[in-house]
Amino acid sequence: GQQLNQSPQSMFIQEGEDVSMNCTSSSIFNTWLWYKQDPGEGPVLLIALYKAGELTSNGRLTAQFGITRKDSFLNISASIPSDVGIYFCAGQPFPYSGAGSYQLTFGKGTKLSVIP
Amino acid sequence: EADIYQTPRYLVIGTGKKITLECSQTMGHDKMYWYQQDPGMELHLIHYSYGVNSTEKGDLSSESTVSRIRTEHFPLTLESARPSHTSQYLCASDGGGYNEQFFGPGTRLTVL
């Protein structure tokens, strides 16, 4: 099945720095989603992308749907301590087919640590 | 935004016990999912449902079972818990056309 390669696996940054992480695949995706998960909690949807080339912002977060439909990146500007957590990308593979077509494929996550 | 609830949040039980993890959502979403996740690791889909009386197994083999008798309710049952079942279980729902899944807070299960 389709796989998502998410990088980096982990990162340590100083408060105030900008952060960038990305997901790539050898397959085409229809939808890209970015989630953040705090310890002991469920993932929370941050940004959803639906069209190739789409660039969407949510506060200090910006994400883009790659033009080839095989990648996406998430940027966080001016990081703060509450940005700490695990960020997951997820995608809806193309094409739709059969009963499993609504499932998402998830990356393995980027663990972000922010040093005050 | 979906409101999705999971109970209990934490559960510690002995080997061989039967348990049911509850998941409910108030948005009338047709699609619901159960994931298993070890701390800090990737999510593994174990069950999903696209509507009442519809359930399917996911990519990760699981000894659990699910049922979908009502749209809002998607419980997961382990007939005989084992230490290998120790994990976090996440429930999610999706009701729109864009495959945006909304997650509950999770149940942290420990089997002794």
Side-chain angles (χ1 to χ4, degrees), chain A residues 98-114:
Chain A
S101 63
Y102 299 109
Q103 296 173 29
L104 294 177
T105 300
F106 282 84
K108 294 187 177 182
T110 294
K111 185 176 181 180
L112 178 64
S113 300
V114 178

Side-chain angles (χ1 to χ4, degrees), chain A residues 35 37 40 50 92 99 103, chain B residues 9 37 48 50 99-101 104:
Chain A
Y35 290 87
Q37 185 176 28
Y50 309 112
Q92 210 289 319
Q103 296 173 29
Chain B
R9 289 294 314 276
Q37 182 190 33
Y48 61 96
Y50 290 159
N99 304 108
E100 296 175 4
Q101 291 185 19

Side-chain angles (χ1 to χ4, degrees), chain B residues 32-79:
Chain B
M32 296 189 74
Y33 308 83
W34 276 104
Y35 293 87
Q36 185 174 341
Q37 182 190 33
D38 290 330
M41 303 298 286
E42 61 192 297
L43 284 73
H44 295 283
L45 181 67
I46 52 175
H47 297 283
Y48 61 96
S49 168
Y50 290 159
V52 171
N53 295 324
S54 156
T55 62
E56 300 288 344
K57 289 187 180 294
D59 300 327
L60 181 68
S61 175
S62 173
E63 294 167 342
S64 58
T65 60
V66 293
S67 63
R68 190 87 184 274
I69 298 173
R70 304 196 315 266
T71 297
E72 63 271 22
H73 195 213
F74 190 39
L76 180 146
T77 298
L78 276 168
E79 291 292 333

Side-chain angles (χ1 to χ4, degrees), chain B residues 75-94:
Chain B
L76 180 146
T77 298
L78 276 168
E79 291 292 333
S80 179
R82 295 207 300 269
S84 60
H85 296 139
T86 294
S87 190
Q88 173 155 272
Y89 293 84
L90 293 163
C91 181
S93 74
D94 161 22

